[in-house]
Amino acid sequence: MARDVVITGIGLASSLGEGVEAHAQALAANAAPVVDAQSFAPYPLHPLKPLELDRQIPKKSDQRQMEPWQRLGVYAAGLALDDAALKDDAEAKSELQVIVAAGGGERDHAVDAAVLAGLRNANQPGAFLNERLMSDLRPTLFLAQLSNLLAGNIGIVHGITGASRTLMGEEQAGVDAIRTAQARIAAGQADLILVGGAYNAERRDMLLLFELGGFLRAADFAPVFARTDLPGMITGSAGAFLVLESAERAAARGAKVHARLSHAGAHRSRRQPGSVAKALDEMLAAFGPLAPDALVISAATGCAAITDEEAAAIAKAVPQSRLVAAGDLVGHSIEAAFPVSVALAAAALSTGAANEAIVTGAAHWRGEGAVRLVKA
Amino acid sequence: MGANHRDSQGRPIVAVTGLGIVTSLGQGKDANWEALTAGRSGIHRIERFPTEGLRTTIAATVDFLFDGSFAAPELSEKLATLAADEAVAQSGLGEAGDFPGELFMAVPPVEMEWPQKQELAQAIEGETDYDALLRVAAGHKHQPMHELFLFGGVAEHIAEKFGTKGSPISLSTACSSGATAIQMGVEAIRRGETEAALCIGTDGSVHAEALIRFSLLSALSTQNDPPEASAKPFSKNRDGFVMGEGAGALVLEDYDHALARGATILGIVAGCGERGDGFHRTRSSPDGKPAILAMQDALADAGLTPDDVDYINAHGTSTPENDKMEAMSCSAVFGERMAKLPISSNKSMLGHTLTAAGAVEAVISLMTIANGRIPPTINYSQPDPAIAIDVVPNQARDAKVRTVLSNSFGFGGQNTCLVLTAGPKAA
């Protein structure tokens, strides 16, 4: 018999600021996004509203050991733990499992540019590369780049001694993380899981990766579902973590429950026209009868055909829904995009703005996911 | 319908029905077993890239799969494909390209590599900064680089090739990743979500920058000469690990499902344990507490006690700190028995296959059970008086092994332990 899984902690930080309230208000008010069109032109993006790091990462030495994506993730994780009233509960933190959806850390852009320039004229390129990297790479940079070190830093900073796992694979990592967490608690394999991700959009190395594939919108901001003129992603810096808990455990400690995570699905379709819509159709159908007026938060990318198919699947499953693209509020945050969307949905249920919510996400290249949240 | 077998906690039993391995010692179980039991090292001088100016010039790279140049994800994918081919073929499960189970893959983090950046830079007239690289990328003439350097790329390709079901998992728990891939497969089968899982750990990422990063952390052995003597786990003169490459693949299957189709049961993944360590980014807690708890959790999960363990497949990296911490933690778990309980490190021969290590070593552990022979810890000529354990020095040893504890510990406070056992004698 599957156990109920509830959300007892929400941690969110983005271009809109931090916390449940700021994001719930923006969601309710259809707030205009914060867009920086200049710094990375021609690519607009949504920059992180600066954080007062000391509030969640008290030690400067810890702050220095991390790159921005890690600081953002550790910060959002701290907000979720605070919200769940677990920050000072050592026993809970020894039991708490952590699942992080992560990419990698930032390159040292100046070093890379200088090395590339030098390689052009180097007589012995291999020896030159070795020499430059041995002297120019900061030893600690590696640790700030390693995917699993976001989880590692969450453990160190917040004193979590439960185990962590890091899932990778761009947007789908966020879907897999939440689905796996939900499944483990439902099956009794865990009671308490901190799950989420963080993405720093303000870096050219990641823009480069996506632009190589032609997945970025190089034009002014336009809403996610209205980018047919020039399709593509507009990325945003965001971090989101959720505390998932068995309903029994939450009840036993009298925790405030934001919502129940009743269903979670992750899918891999062989991408071809129609496959994304079909994948989402099937997942949503398996979630049982949906309230026709459920709130829908979409983690859609804005990449033309895929995003159109996602919209079609939503319209079919919940025709009277209010559809909000997380990208229109905070931008697309890759590994964090799905956790951000689930956190927004949970915030809406928690504040009474909705009684039921569906979250969908079709990644820019591979993977589809959906979850359903209901009032606890 | 067959009997409904359950483990000591009433859960489905997770059988192993297929194994595959590729390392610097060769491709396949036979080649690896022959070399491992002969005490042969796969560590050699690096020829893949120039090593001028580097403190470490050796590694256990896999050099027999590509003729020309390649990027790390291409080698990782090739290694995984070969290991999975072997494992799936042995299991006899499903049809070619239609594996009836989920995929859990430990894959190394990826990022754009120097040759590709240089290729883009060739099209730049002036300054080679990222803005210039972006302008070249905007021409969309280098589209394959996008897919090549996505974190989810390797697992996506393996899922496509083998036809695994569900959303393929790409995971990292640093140097314990391979063990975590197995653990996630075990959990999915125990949940009844899938009747089979293809669990793979792969790593083909020895390139100049990867080596330099570990070198800058002073993690690597610098005793380059002779290369085959560089990895010396548990020895007094150990001075760091040696990077290695390889892949291990396991087909896990619900025991009853395997029995019903008459599959050969190669062993059981009886228990898994994992603990975080909030102590430090690269160092383990000096008291070894998380490692101790992870081992105890794995045994408890298997419904076994320390007395049931016949052999420990060590993490045994050959770094001063790991080996000391691991030996001390084992002593805490096994008490006086530790003086005579065999514990050996495959890394003395394979180097540290990093992301792949937990899976590679699980495959070798199951071969150890099947063959009743323990691969040695080679290069053990200067015992560390602070570590009084039986490392199965230098020579393979015949022994009846029914239960193995396999340890994996990683940067970022990752500790994952597996308990692997022989199949039940009579079903």
Side-chain angles (χ1 to χ4, degrees):
Chain A
M1 190 59 198
R3 308 191 303 169
D4 280 351
V5 181
V6 295
I7 297 172
T8 55
I10 303 172
L12 259 172
S14 72
S15 51
L16 297 176
E18 66 178 70
V20 175
E21 224 160 90
H23 288 88
Q25 275 173 18
L27 179 62
N30 273 331
V34 178
V35 183
D36 177 353
Q38 267 75 52
S39 303
F40 297 86
Y43 310 102
L45 55 78
H46 307 269
L48 182 67
K49 184 169 178 185
L51 303 169
E52 219 179 293
L53 287 175
D54 292 355
R55 292 174 51 206
Q56 289 295 343
I57 312 172
K59 285 191 199 161
K60 296 283 184 205
S61 59
D62 282 334
Q63 294 178 17
R64 277 196 301 272
Q65 295 260 349
M66 291 184 249
E67 288 285 309
W69 73 289
Q70 291 174 333
R71 289 194 286 261
L72 171 55
V74 172
Y75 194 96
L79 292 176
L81 292 173
D82 279 337
D83 185 48
L86 292 174
K87 188 66 101 28
D88 302 316
D89 187 339
E91 201 186 321
K93 287 193 292 183
S94 71
E95 177 196 346
L96 182 66
Q97 307 284 301
V98 179
I99 306 182
V100 174
E106 194 161 351
R107 300 286 309 180
D108 187 324
H109 290 64
V111 169
D112 283 1
V115 171
L116 281 175
L119 278 170
R120 276 178 170 167
N121 307 313
N123 290 325
Q124 292 182 289
F128 173 82
L129 184 66
N130 291 347
E131 188 197 333
R132 296 314 319 159
L133 295 179
M134 283 293 284
S135 65
D136 295 352
L137 286 182
R138 282 180 290 120
T140 52
L141 181 65
F142 180 26
L143 299 174
Q145 291 168 326
L146 267 183
S147 302
N148 75 305
L149 260 289
L150 169 50
N153 279 296
I154 289 172
I156 289 167
V157 172
H158 299 308
I160 296 167
T161 52
S164 70
R165 298 174 191 173
T166 296
L167 303 188
M168 303 179 296
E170 291 69 41
E171 296 96 327
Q172 193 69 0
V175 173
D176 292 332
I178 286 178
R179 192 199 71 80
T180 303
Q182 199 268 356
R184 282 173 67 192
I185 294 175
Q189 292 176 334
D191 265 328
L192 188 63
I193 298 182
L194 176 69
V195 57
Y199 182 73
N200 172 25
E202 296 148 74
R203 43 189 283 206
R204 287 176 171 79
D205 51 0
M206 286 312 296
L207 290 174
L208 178 62
L209 179 66
F210 296 126
E211 181 60 302
L212 280 166
F215 289 97
L216 291 182
R217 177 174 164 95
D220 291 345
F221 174 84
V224 167
F225 289 106
R227 289 185 193 162
T228 35
D229 60 330
L230 262 177
M233 303 190 280
I234 299 176
T235 57
S237 297
F241 275 84
L242 299 164
V243 174
L244 301 188
E245 194 164 357
S246 70
E248 289 158 281
R249 193 187 188 288
R253 70 182 184 97
K256 174 179 162 59
V257 173
H258 295 295
R260 180 160 73 86
L261 186 57
S262 67
H263 299 81
H267 189 84
R268 168 187 178 271
S269 67
R270 283 182 176 158
R271 286 276 174 96
Q272 54 192 338
S275 65
V276 168
K278 183 166 174 283
L280 289 171
D281 283 348
E282 287 172 2
M283 261 186 285
L284 294 175
F287 288 178
L290 307 175
D293 63 344
L295 170 70
V296 180
I297 310 277
S298 164
T301 58
C303 294
I306 314 162
T307 291
D308 291 346
E309 287 189 31
E310 187 170 333
I314 292 165
K316 191 165 148 190
V318 272
Q320 288 139 53
S321 66
R322 175 175 171 234
L323 170 60
V324 177
D328 289 349
L329 291 169
V330 298
H332 184 63
S333 52
I334 317 293
E335 289 89 1
F338 200 77
V340 163
S341 302
V342 178
L344 287 168
L349 263 69
S350 183
T351 53
N355 291 316
E356 179 172 332
I358 304 296
V359 178
T360 59
H364 79 280
W365 178 65
R366 62 174 280 274
E368 300 85 25
V371 300
R372 179 182 179 204
L373 291 84
V374 296
K375 268 201 118 60
Chain B
M1 291 302 288
N4 218 6
H5 292 91
R6 289 292 180 265
D7 71 5
S8 60
Q9 298 181 40
R11 304 168 301 196
I13 296 170
V14 180
V16 180
T17 56
L19 295 171
I21 185 171
V22 190
T23 72
S24 55
L25 290 173
Q27 183 183 333
K29 292 192 285 289
D30 293 345
N32 275 281
W33 187 247
E34 188 271 317
L36 286 163
T37 49
R40 200 151 65 233
S41 173
I43 298 167
H44 48 254
R45 238 170 278 292
I46 293 169
E47 288 169 10
R48 185 176 296 167
F49 52 87
T51 55
E52 284 106 316
L54 302 182
R55 296 200 287 261
T56 294
T57 57
I58 51 169
T61 52
V62 176
D63 295 330
F64 49 82
L65 296 178
F66 287 89
D67 292 329
S69 64
F70 52 86
E74 292 172 303
L75 179 56
S76 294
E77 183 175 326
K78 182 75 179 169
L79 291 164
T81 302
L82 294 172
D85 268 335
E86 186 184 14
V88 172
Q90 184 178 26
S91 76
L93 189 59
E95 303 296 322
D98 186 14
F99 181 83
E102 295 179 12
L103 175 64
F104 299 92
M105 273 197 83
V107 287
V110 293
E111 59 185 8
M112 199 177 214
E113 294 168 26
W114 287 103
Q116 285 73 24
K117 274 187 282 219
Q118 284 177 268
E119 190 184 329
L120 296 181
Q122 275 173 6
I124 299 170
E125 293 286 328
E127 220 186 317
T128 47
D129 60 9
Y130 271 82
D131 280 323
L133 294 173
L134 271 162
R135 284 192 292 276
V136 177
H140 301 154
K141 287 182 187 138
H142 304 271
Q143 213 154 6
M145 286 187 198
H146 162 260
E147 186 169 326
L148 180 59
F149 294 119
L150 288 176
F151 282 84
V154 170
E156 171 70 17
H157 298 151
I158 297 292
E160 178 67 25
K161 180 169 168 50
F162 289 89
T164 55
K165 306 299 174 272
S167 180
I169 300 292
S170 305
L171 67 94
S172 173
T173 54
C175 298
S176 68
S177 301
T180 303
I182 294 167
Q183 182 178 22
M184 288 188 72
V186 167
E187 287 173 350
I189 290 171
R190 284 178 178 170
R191 286 196 296 266
E193 217 172 84
T194 181
E195 278 171 330
L198 179 56
C199 301
I200 307 173
T202 186
D203 204 320
S205 45
V206 177
H207 50 74
E209 185 170 331
L211 183 129
I212 287 166
R213 287 169 168 182
F214 280 118
S215 187
L216 290 172
L217 290 173
S218 305
L220 300 180
S221 173
T222 57
Q223 295 178 5
N224 296 305
D225 200 19
E228 57 275 12
S230 54
K232 321 166 266 305
F234 304 111
S235 291
K236 191 170 179 236
N237 55 336
R238 67 189 187 275
D239 73 323
F241 74 83
V242 178
M243 292 179 80
E245 293 178 329
L250 297 87
V251 172
L252 305 186
E253 192 172 347
D254 179 290
Y255 180 70
D256 290 324
H257 185 268
L259 276 189
R261 67 182 184 91
T264 303
I265 311 286
L266 306 172
I268 303 291
V269 187
C272 313
E274 56 173 348
R275 286 287 175 146
D277 185 340
F279 177 70
H280 189 268
R281 287 164 187 85
T282 58
R283 290 165 53 208
S284 304
S285 284
D287 62 2
K289 192 177 163 198
I292 293 166
L293 291 171
M295 287 188 247
Q296 290 171 338
D297 285 355
L299 288 167
D301 190 47
L304 296 174
T305 69
D307 284 345
D308 294 312
V309 174
D310 301 312
Y311 160 68
I312 300 172
N313 186 300
H315 187 54
T317 56
S318 185
T319 63
E321 199 164 345
N322 173 80
D323 296 1
K324 185 177 160 203
M325 183 281 294
E326 184 170 13
M328 188 186 68
S329 303
C330 287
S331 294
V333 173
F334 293 93
E336 286 177 5
R337 250 196 103 207
M338 202 53 219
K340 27 181 222 264
L341 180 63
I343 170 171
S344 70
S345 169
N346 305 147
K347 293 185 181 77
S348 62
M349 294 172 271
L350 301 175
H352 188 346
T353 56
L354 300 165
T355 299
V360 164
E361 290 162 19
V363 170
I364 295 169
S365 294
L366 287 156
M367 287 197 281
T368 301
I369 292 171
N371 291 290
R373 195 164 168 76
I374 302 175
T377 304
I378 67 164
N379 300 319
Y380 193 73
S381 60
Q382 295 185 38
D384 183 344
I387 303 177
I389 53 175
D390 173 9
V391 302
V392 192
N394 305 317
Q395 301 278 333
R397 183 189 302 167
D398 289 326
K400 189 164 187 299
V401 179
R402 283 193 58 82
T403 300
V404 177
L405 175 68
S406 179
N407 287 338
S408 297
F409 309 123
F411 281 178
Q414 314 270 187
N415 303 274
T416 310
C417 300
L418 302 175
V419 175
L420 306 161
T421 69
K425 276 175 196 145

